[in-house]
Amino acid sequence: MSNEQVIIFDTTLRDGEQSPGASMTKDEKLRIAKSLEMLKVDVIEAGFAMASPGDFDAVKSIAETIRDSTVCSLSRALEKDIDRAAEALKNAERGRIHTFIATSPIHMQHKLCMKPGDVVEQAVFAVRHARNLIDDVEFSCEDAGRSDLDFLCRIIEAAIDAGASTINIPDTVGYAVPHQFGNTIAQLIERIPNADKAVFSVHCHNDLGLAVANSLSAVVNGARQVECTINGLGERAGNASLEEIVMAIKTRKDELNVTTGINTAQIVPASRLVSGITGFPVQPNKAIVGANAFAHESGIHQDGVLKHRETYEIMKAEDVGWNTNRLTLGKLSGRNAFKTRMSELGITFADQEELNEAFSRFKVLADKKSDIFDDDLQALMSDVRNTNPAEKYQLVDLQAYSKIGAMPEAKLTINVDGEATEVRSQGDGPVDAIFKAIETIANSRARLALYNVSAITSGTDSQGDVSVRLEREGRIVNGSGADTDIVIASAKAYINALNLLESDHTKTNPQTGKV
Ligand code: KIV
Ligand code: ZN
């Protein structure tokens, strides 16, 4: 029986960030990168350094901070992209450049407007150039799922000869089905003469809901790297979800005959962090990390589980970290205990001022809520960083009034570019009244595409975590806010979304090349 390890390559910070509205700040990316390092992910794709100066900075600071995982930057098969990626990765303990070019007839003809021979030449140039700058180079054939097998063999052989040590086969549009995709991987490994000089990787999108199944079929047929994301985040329907890949490999080792190096107890904390930061809630019935994944509703199941857990459970909730949301701190905890737990969670403070601000908010929270859990601390930190004084809109004060039979009203004081403005409005409910009041001054012309409230922990004193998705002229942003009062959390989330709409967004999508 083989015990080979599958390399887990996480692309939450790159492909995941390409989900509409999932864009993250440098600080948020760093927090996720630290959580991925605690999860013991082998490779972290930190971003696409060429996309914007902000993306460059994020890749650079992740490369400077992360020591245990390889840090990777995506780059098109262009000299300027590769140079930028190498520059961002210069201080990495272990850095990787991931360069790609499309190989399907439809992409070569209509997107690249290039002949197949020129695509091979460009791929070889890109891999060689990258290898002159870094030792670890991955090459991807974009839209491999719809590419011709003979052409894939030709370009991959040339890329390996040029120095690529990982060859990635993306199913870019989620078109593959498991038996066919597995067969493609087997064929490539068998037919390419120098296939033994590279690790074969897969990167599956979930358009048909088959990303995990396709990835596992590829593993059965010889792939030894899987590209995936936390909560399955990613372009359109997302990527293969890391938690499902890892737990399938662990739980069905008897069939799959491989292992991963993942510390599975960190799965749920990582999932919550990504959901909190991006404002993408996890559906309750999502495998492994959904709130119902280990809950038993029916009496027969509950009875069975109580008698013998394995009657209805194939995994242990604690193995994926359901109990790691530790009760950490309380009202009497001092600044040192606070700082220590934050650093155990991978949170560091930019300066003394930020620590003071976070600690004073912690004290306010501890007055309202007797037990403070890790998730509360993560939410608190997001809140501190969302209320950066440099932002255009700041919530100063809020009063909301509801009474049976009366029209709900809200009165808010908001700083707009440093100037306090008072606004009032009525609405169908207090939240509606607040959003209308904010819009009387912001006049954003944005459409409210999603409003979601969830409890961060259990109990009625839990903080409410609110996500607000706004859409304006095709641009989507997700704002988030947390508070023990969900009405205040809603106002914070709406203001956060408005500030994101105000922020500069000139960043290039690596695949479409569009800003
Ligand atoms: O889906 C895809 O093809 C990608 C590549 C850039 C690897 O994300
Ligand atoms: Zn992708």
Side-chain angles (χ1 to χ4, degrees), residues 203-508:
H203 172 114
C204 296
H205 279 269
N206 206 27
D207 299 67
L208 294 172
L210 293 171
V212 169
N214 287 334
S215 307
L216 293 177
S217 174
V219 167
V220 169
N221 285 283
R224 286 295 174 265
Q225 173 175 287
V226 175
E227 302 197 355
C228 45
T229 57
I230 302 287
N231 300 337
L233 209 64
E235 282 262 14
R236 306 179 310 279
N239 289 73
S241 109
L242 178 145
E243 55 277 9
E244 293 175 22
I245 297 281
V246 167
M247 290 315 290
I249 288 178
K250 184 172 163 129
T251 310
R252 296 311 310 274
K253 196 169 175 302
D254 57 326
E255 276 293 323
L256 298 169
N257 289 328
V258 287
T259 57
T260 74
I262 295 294
N263 173 7
T264 59
Q266 289 297 325
I267 285 178
V268 169
S271 159
R272 289 193 168 160
L273 182 65
V274 169
S275 165
I277 284 178
T278 57
F280 277 52
V282 175
Q283 74 195 56
N285 57 330
K286 165 85 177 61
I288 324 288
V289 293
N292 290 353
F294 292 87
H296 298 279
E297 176 67 21
S298 92
I300 298 174
H301 285 207
Q302 283 176 358
D303 182 54
V305 169
L306 288 176
K307 284 184 179 137
H308 188 71
R309 196 183 55 78
E310 279 88 6
T311 48
Y312 286 100
E313 278 188 8
I314 57 166
M315 296 167 275
K316 290 198 193 113
E318 55 271 29
D319 283 357
V320 296
W322 270 106
N323 300 338
T324 44
N325 181 26
R326 282 184 23 207
L327 167 66
T328 340
L329 303 167
K331 202 171 165 160
L332 300 176
S333 310
R335 178 183 291 262
N336 258 341
F338 173 73
K339 205 175 154 200
T340 308
R341 187 61 197 146
M342 288 302 239
S343 108
E344 282 163 8
L345 290 174
I347 299 171
T348 45
F349 298 97
D351 48 32
Q352 192 63 25
E353 209 180 307
E354 191 175 65
L355 168 62
N356 293 346
E357 174 64 24
F359 186 63
S360 77
R361 286 188 194 219
F362 160 72
K363 283 290 179 187
V364 173
L365 182 63
D367 266 340
K368 296 190 204 157
K369 192 173 184 290
S370 49
D371 300 327
I372 308 284
F373 294 85
D374 290 346
D375 286 348
D376 288 314
L377 296 177
Q378 294 281 11
L380 180 144
M381 209 50 216
S382 294
D383 237 35
V384 169
R385 290 183 178 160
N386 283 349
T387 42
N388 171 351
E391 304 282 20
K392 181 174 173 103
Y393 301 105
Q394 313 274 339
L395 177 66
V396 179
D397 196 19
L398 183 162
Q399 281 178 44
Y401 171 78
S402 309
K403 180 177 181 322
I404 294 176
M407 189 79 169
E409 277 183 31
K411 185 174 114 186
L412 288 88
T413 308
I414 297 174
N415 269 354
V416 184
D417 289 327
E419 205 171 300
T421 315
E422 202 180 284
V423 276
R424 290 165 184 269
S425 186
Q426 293 191 319
D428 289 338
V431 172
D432 186 46
I434 287 168
F435 290 2
K436 283 188 172 134
I438 298 173
E439 278 299 340
T440 58
I441 32 173
N443 192 19
S444 70
R445 293 171 294 106
R447 182 179 72 85
L448 178 66
L450 176 125
Y451 171 70
N452 182 75
V453 188
S454 54
I456 291 180
T457 54
S458 54
T460 48
D461 69 349
S462 163
Q463 292 196 82
D465 189 12
V466 176
S467 307
V468 164
R469 182 175 302 167
L470 295 180
E471 198 249 289
R472 183 172 68 195
E473 289 157 12
R475 174 151 181 232
I476 296 175
V477 292
N478 272 310
S480 59
D483 201 284
T484 47
D485 182 328
I486 57 165
V487 172
I488 297 176
S490 302
K492 287 181 180 174
Y494 199 92
I495 287 178
N496 178 226
L498 282 180
N499 284 326
L500 290 168
L501 268 186
E502 287 295 314
S503 63
D504 181 22
H505 187 63
T506 36
K507 101 190 210 152
T508 310

Side-chain angles (χ1 to χ4, degrees), residues 14-15 74 98 100 140 142-143 168 170 172 203 205 511:
R14 198 277 298 167
D15 211 313
L74 185 69
H98 175 191
F100 75 98
S140 278
E142 190 193 12
D143 204 18
N168 185 37
T172 304
H203 172 114
H205 279 269
Q511 288 163 276

